[in-house]
């Protein structure tokens, strides 16, 4: 899916009759995220392991977010894990009120790997993003709008058309062209951020004393705040 998304993007960027891009899912779902069974294929060598950063940096950051044409995610149904990470690389997100948005990776013993550890805090702030990631707790479209994860709520029937108009409005500078990886207005000041992270670590240890990956995830979020998201 990610490789075909890359091909579709490259085609859309080359075509002179395309001004802007809408990313959406079929049949009332955006994307449930990574296909867990493919981990088995990666481990057995059936699928080649992509080089580090190929998806998170080359595809999502440089191609999608860094594109010369704006993109808007039109979200309905499930928008989880890698699905949410794709939507956060778009320049705006339009959602239905009942869509479910979240990063449930920690439940699977892994951490979000396609930039979610960096983009979610920059869109909703550190406290809310840690809650969503550490509890693997999706939120509905309505709440996602209140916390700043999505830009507008519309009915399923109006979803794609609203996203199209929004994307063209970005193109014509009537709406802001926002790269969420470089947003800083929602991030708490460094001192406060450190306190929030310290508290999150204590909570994670209390909830699951023997699990290492939630603490690694907090380290990764902190690294991005201190050294910048590319790191």
């Amino acid at each position: 899916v990610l490789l075909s998304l890359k091909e579709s993007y490259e085609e859309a960027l080359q075509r002179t009759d395309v001004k802007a891009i809408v990313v959406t899912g079929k049949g009332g779902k955006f994307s449930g995220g990574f296909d867990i069974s493919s981990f088995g294929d990666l481990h057995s060598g059936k699928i080649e392991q992509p080089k580090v950063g190929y998806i998170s940096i080359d595809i999502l950051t440089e191609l999608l977010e860094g594109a010369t044409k704006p993109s808007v995610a039109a979200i309905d149904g499930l928008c989880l894990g890698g699905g949410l990470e794709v939507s956060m690389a778009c320049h705006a997100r339009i959602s239905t009120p009942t869509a479910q948005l979240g990063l449930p990776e920690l439940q699977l013993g892994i951490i979000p790997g396609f930039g979610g550890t960096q983009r979610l805090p920059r869109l909703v702030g550190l406290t809310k993003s840690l809650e969503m990631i550490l509890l693997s707790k999706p939120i509905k479209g309505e709440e996602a709008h209140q916390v700043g994860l999505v830009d507008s709520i519309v009915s399923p029937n109006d979803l794609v058309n609203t996203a199209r108009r929004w994307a063209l409005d970005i193109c014509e500078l009537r709406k802001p062209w926002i790269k969420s990886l470089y947003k800083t207005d929602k991030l708490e000041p460094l001192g406060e951020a450190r306190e929030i992270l310290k508290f999150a670590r204590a909570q994670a240890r209390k909830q699951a004393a023997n699990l290492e990956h939630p603490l690694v995830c907090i380290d990764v979020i902190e690294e991005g705040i201190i050294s910048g998201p590319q790191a």
Side-chain angles (χ1 to χ4, degrees), residues 18-24 70-75 92-95 152 154 156-172 174-175:
V18 175
K19 287 184 180 172
I21 298 164
V22 169
V23 181
T24 194
S71 61
V72 174
I75 300 165
R93 283 149 298 288
I94 311 296
S95 168
S152 186
V154 296
N157 295 341
D158 299 328
L159 183 62
V160 173
N161 277 336
T162 304
R164 279 188 185 134
R165 278 199 304 275
W166 199 288
L168 288 170
D169 280 348
I170 295 175
C171 200
E172 284 151 18
R174 285 197 294 266
K175 288 253 191 319

Side-chain angles (χ1 to χ4, degrees), residues 10 23 40 68 85 91 93 122 129 131 164 174 196:
E10 286 167 343
V23 181
T68 51
E85 290 174 302
H91 303 111
R93 283 149 298 288
R122 284 165 174 76
S129 64
E131 177 194 314
R164 279 188 185 134
R174 285 197 294 266
I196 294 167

Side-chain angles (χ1 to χ4, degrees), residues 35-200:
D35 174 9
I36 298 159
S37 64
S38 59
F39 278 126
D41 295 338
L42 281 169
H43 287 305
S44 66
K46 224 188 267 179
I47 305 177
E48 207 183 320
Q49 182 93 33
K51 72 175 171 67
V52 172
Y54 176 63
I55 292 165
S56 62
I57 295 180
D58 297 8
I59 298 182
L60 293 186
T61 302
E62 285 169 8
L63 183 65
L64 270 70
E65 195 169 43
T68 51
K69 295 175 184 179
S71 61
V72 174
I75 300 165
D76 193 12
L78 297 178
C79 180
L80 302 174
L84 181 63
E85 290 174 302
V86 167
S87 80
M88 292 192 292
C90 294
H91 303 111
R93 283 149 298 288
I94 311 296
S95 168
T96 61
T98 55
Q100 292 185 54
L101 300 91
L103 293 176
E105 281 86 345
L106 291 190
Q107 275 181 338
L108 306 173
I110 57 171
I111 74 169
F114 301 158
T117 56
Q118 306 308 310
R119 287 189 179 88
L120 191 60
R122 284 165 174 76
L123 284 165
V124 304
L126 202 46
T127 304
K128 186 67 190 172
S129 64
L130 283 164
E131 177 194 314
M132 286 175 68
I133 294 172
L134 292 174
L135 301 177
S136 294
K137 195 176 105 185
I139 58 175
K140 289 255 166 73
E142 283 288 6
E143 187 186 346
H145 183 229
Q146 286 160 10
V147 298
L149 181 53
V150 304
D151 301 282
S152 186
I153 293 288
V154 296
S155 74
N157 295 341
D158 299 328
L159 183 62
V160 173
N161 277 336
T162 304
R164 279 188 185 134
R165 278 199 304 275
W166 199 288
L168 288 170
D169 280 348
I170 295 175
C171 200
E172 284 151 18
L173 305 178
R174 285 197 294 266
K175 288 253 191 319
W177 189 321
I178 295 167
K179 296 181 180 183
S180 56
L181 195 60
Y182 304 105
K183 252 172 83 67
T184 54
D185 57 306
K186 283 284 186 83
L187 285 180
E188 291 80 355
L190 199 53
E192 198 183 321
R194 285 210 158 109
E195 285 303 307
I196 294 167
L197 291 158
K198 197 169 123 183
F199 179 71

